[in-house]
Amino acid sequence: MTTRYTKDHEWIRIDGDIAVVGITAYAAEQLGDVVFVELPEIGKTVAQGDELAVVESVKAASEVYAPASGEVIAVNEALEGAPAMVNEAPGGEGWFVKLKLSAPDELDAMMDEAAYKAHTS
Amino acid sequence: MADQASLQKTPLHDLHVELGARMVPFAGYAMPVQYDGVMAEHNHTRAAAGLFDVSHMGQARVSGDEAAFEALVTADLAALGAGEQKYTLLLNDQGGIMDDLMIARPDDGDLFMVVNAACKGSDFAHMRARFGSRADLNELTDRALLALQGPQAGAVMADLCPGAAKLVFMQAGAFTLDGMDLLVSRSGYTGEDGFEISVLANEADALARRLLSDERVKPIGLGARDSLRLEAGLCLYGHDMDETITPVEASLTWAVAKSRRERADFPGAARILAQLEAGPEKKRVGILPGDRAPAREGTEIVVGGETAGVVTSGGFGPTVGAPVAMGYVRADLAKPGQPIELMVRGKARPAAIAKTPFTPHRFHRG
């Protein structure tokens, strides 16, 4: 499994042509307390860079963009009752969406962990 | 992006940075938006006591013919006794709200006012122009302003400045603490008991550290200040009211003194009294979204497929545990329980008009 990062602070963890998407700890920290996550409908097709979800903190709403193109095959329904999971475990239980990738080579140009750390430091 | 270097700093700037605040531009000042996090700070203020730096707000004294001041606002200043404070509105000649402000008579002498940061330049220019030579406005640029808010604020103040702790809601007075001259009022912007403390700028850091040395007190940023005031149903100038809105539309008729209504001698009185008689076309109301999605400022309100109003403040209420909002709707819809829809991200979501405050006020009325 490989994890890649976007400059907009999403992470994408790839296993074959299935990928899990969430926001980074850095993004969660910047947003502050997450109070609501608007997730897409299962079956929705997104292109890389399209709006995928909306995350709301006490202060403001922020868009989450699709790191790669594909079809939404699952969403993290647990976030509905426990949006704070995005703050508590942004890289784990606080995941947003599972995508079936349509163009896995889009990932090649994305940042690895070391590059993302450099991007946020 | 505002130029950080052009921002003014309050006398507590170094303290905010030392406390790890995230600083943001607000009304021309670098202000702390949060320290530990908005939710934790909001909850701490409701449970214990929070310390807010509100030094960006405008403070001034007015001396001379008070009738010149009274003519511009909705309070009965002649009836404002020593040690009393009033919430009032500065109106333009059409009866539109130029600002909301506090006016106190902290001792036997001059009036003392606190106005919004974003309005202070225009407020004071307008007042001076209308006062002419009848009254003097002395802007207190050498003073900082701190707010201590929360159910423990009274106990904290009793340990520090027992005289000030004897004030009750909407009273004000001059006090001395360790040689510092303080103007203290028992009021605030959170719906909780608390104090607003005016202190010389060069003594503000020492006073703030003294307050923070009490373990019941934590520093609170603008983020929680906004969620606290929204739950308390209190208006934010420039959002929930502006120069096009009258006190009747803003559901602030209570801030227009009865004696002033009888005398019909405040700016825009003809229009405002007519609205009181016939009812306004639109009214400010509380709104409870029916699902978990917050409805932010600018969200369209729809009833029966037609636009019926707009959200002017909205977010998540940590104490309510759900989204809360306020906004303007057609007056015939302005009743608690009225179903409405909120257009959030293109989707109509169910909501209802609700009573404010969303969390009960807990002022110390003595």
Side-chain angles (χ1 to χ4, degrees):
Chain A
M1 289 210 294
T2 339
T3 305
R4 291 285 179 267
Y5 300 85
T6 70
K7 61 174 174 45
D8 297 318
H9 312 288
E10 293 95 10
W11 56 259
I12 179 163
R13 193 175 300 131
I14 309 108
D15 188 3
D17 64 351
I18 304 295
V20 184
V21 177
I23 65 168
T24 65
Y26 176 87
E29 158 71 23
Q30 290 294 311
L31 284 169
D33 307 294
V34 173
V35 297
F36 179 72
V37 181
E38 176 112 56
L39 294 165
E41 282 177 24
I42 291 167
K44 183 182 177 178
T45 305
V46 290
Q48 188 178 37
D50 282 358
E51 185 180 305
L52 182 65
V54 175
V55 57
E56 302 245 17
S57 68
V58 180
K59 290 195 296 279
S62 313
E63 282 84 32
V64 176
Y65 301 102
S69 308
E71 182 191 339
V72 176
I73 56 166
V75 297
N76 187 359
E77 282 165 6
L79 294 183
E80 193 174 325
M85 210 118 78
V86 177
N87 298 108
E88 288 153 17
E93 284 179 81
W95 64 276
F96 281 34
V97 164
K98 280 184 190 163
L99 291 176
K100 184 171 196 302
L101 299 180
S102 56
D105 45 354
E106 284 172 344
L107 282 302
D108 297 346
M110 291 172 60
M111 288 179 275
D112 63 11
E113 191 176 352
Y116 180 69
K117 270 194 178 147
H119 174 67
T120 53
S121 62
Chain B
M1 187 85 192
D3 179 1
Q4 295 286 330
S6 70
L7 293 173
Q8 297 191 66
K9 292 175 179 169
T10 76
L12 298 183
H13 186 270
D14 290 351
L15 177 61
H16 299 314
V17 172
E18 186 183 317
L19 292 168
R22 189 182 299 167
M23 304 299 288
V24 298
F26 183 82
Y29 286 80
M31 297 298 292
V33 66
Q34 65 170 71
Y35 304 83
D36 281 350
V38 176
M39 197 92 88
E41 292 167 30
H42 179 112
N43 291 334
H44 183 83
T45 305
R46 291 257 187 264
L51 182 67
F52 303 73
D53 179 11
V54 285
S55 301
H56 57 316
M57 298 183 82
Q59 302 179 64
R61 284 275 204 175
V62 173
S63 57
D65 180 5
E66 291 179 2
F69 194 11
E70 188 181 81
L72 308 181
V73 299
T74 57
D76 186 341
L77 294 183
L80 187 71
E84 292 177 355
Q85 176 172 253
K86 283 280 182 213
Y87 172 82
T88 191
L89 303 167
L90 179 69
L91 300 182
N92 63 26
D93 294 333
Q94 292 73 46
I97 303 173
M98 297 177 71
D99 201 359
D100 61 340
L101 64 156
M102 289 286 200
I103 302 179
R105 198 186 301 281
D107 33 46
D108 288 334
D110 301 341
L111 296 167
F112 168 70
M113 76 174 109
V114 177
V115 304
N116 280 299
C119 304
K120 63 184 176 185
S122 53
D123 286 358
F124 293 157
H126 171 75
M127 290 174 189
R128 283 190 172 115
R130 296 296 175 98
F131 290 172
S133 59
R134 289 185 293 159
D136 282 321
L137 187 150
N138 177 23
E139 189 176 354
L140 306 175
T141 52
D142 61 341
R143 294 189 82 88
L145 191 66
L146 310 184
L148 178 69
Q149 299 280 300
Q152 308 270 4
V156 171
M157 187 61 91
D159 289 349
L160 207 64
C161 187
K166 293 197 178 85
L167 296 171
V168 300
F169 183 58
M170 298 305 272
Q171 286 186 339
F175 300 91
T176 307
L177 170 68
D178 291 349
M180 295 184 273
D181 288 323
L182 310 179
L183 289 176
V184 183
S185 68
R186 195 141 198 173
S187 57
Y189 195 46
T190 60
E192 299 295 328
D193 181 23
F195 302 86
E196 292 188 322
I197 310 161
S198 172
V199 58
L200 278 174
N202 60 16
E203 296 171 339
D205 184 88
L207 177 62
R209 286 176 198 274
R210 182 96 188 254
L211 286 161
L212 288 169
S213 70
D214 188 311
E215 61 182 17
R216 293 168 287 192
V217 182
K218 285 189 175 167
I220 311 297
L222 290 181
R225 183 169 164 81
D226 191 52
S227 56
L228 288 158
R229 70 91 196 166
L230 177 57
E231 281 185 339
L234 301 172
C235 292
L236 176 60
Y237 191 79
H239 301 259
D240 305 308
M241 54 192 170
D242 60 35
E243 294 204 13
T244 70
I245 299 282
T246 69
V248 184
E249 293 160 347
S251 301
L252 295 172
T253 305
W254 58 269
V256 184
K258 194 161 167 275
S259 57
R260 303 294 307 277
R261 286 184 229 172
E262 286 163 5
R263 297 203 297 267
D265 65 347
F266 53 89
R271 177 184 176 199
I272 288 169
L273 293 172
Q275 277 188 344
L276 272 174
E277 186 72 25
E281 284 181 23
K282 61 177 180 180
K283 242 187 135 186
R284 183 178 62 89
V285 292
I287 297 161
L288 278 175
D291 63 10
R292 306 294 296 174
R296 307 287 176 179
E297 181 178 1
T299 299
E300 182 188 2
I301 299 170
V302 172
V303 174
E306 286 181 16
T307 300
V310 65
V311 171
T312 50
S313 281
F316 184 81
T319 305
V320 174
V324 290
M326 60 171 90
Y328 283 81
V329 292
R330 253 176 27 221
D332 61 298
L333 302 168
K335 44 185 189 288
Q338 164 72 43
I340 56 170
E341 287 179 313
L342 300 170
M343 296 300 294
V344 177
R345 291 183 283 278
K347 260 187 256 175
R349 299 165 196 253
I353 305 299
K355 271 194 197 144
T356 59
F358 298 106
T359 51
H361 289 163
R362 299 195 288 182
F363 304 131
H364 179 69
R365 296 183 191 273

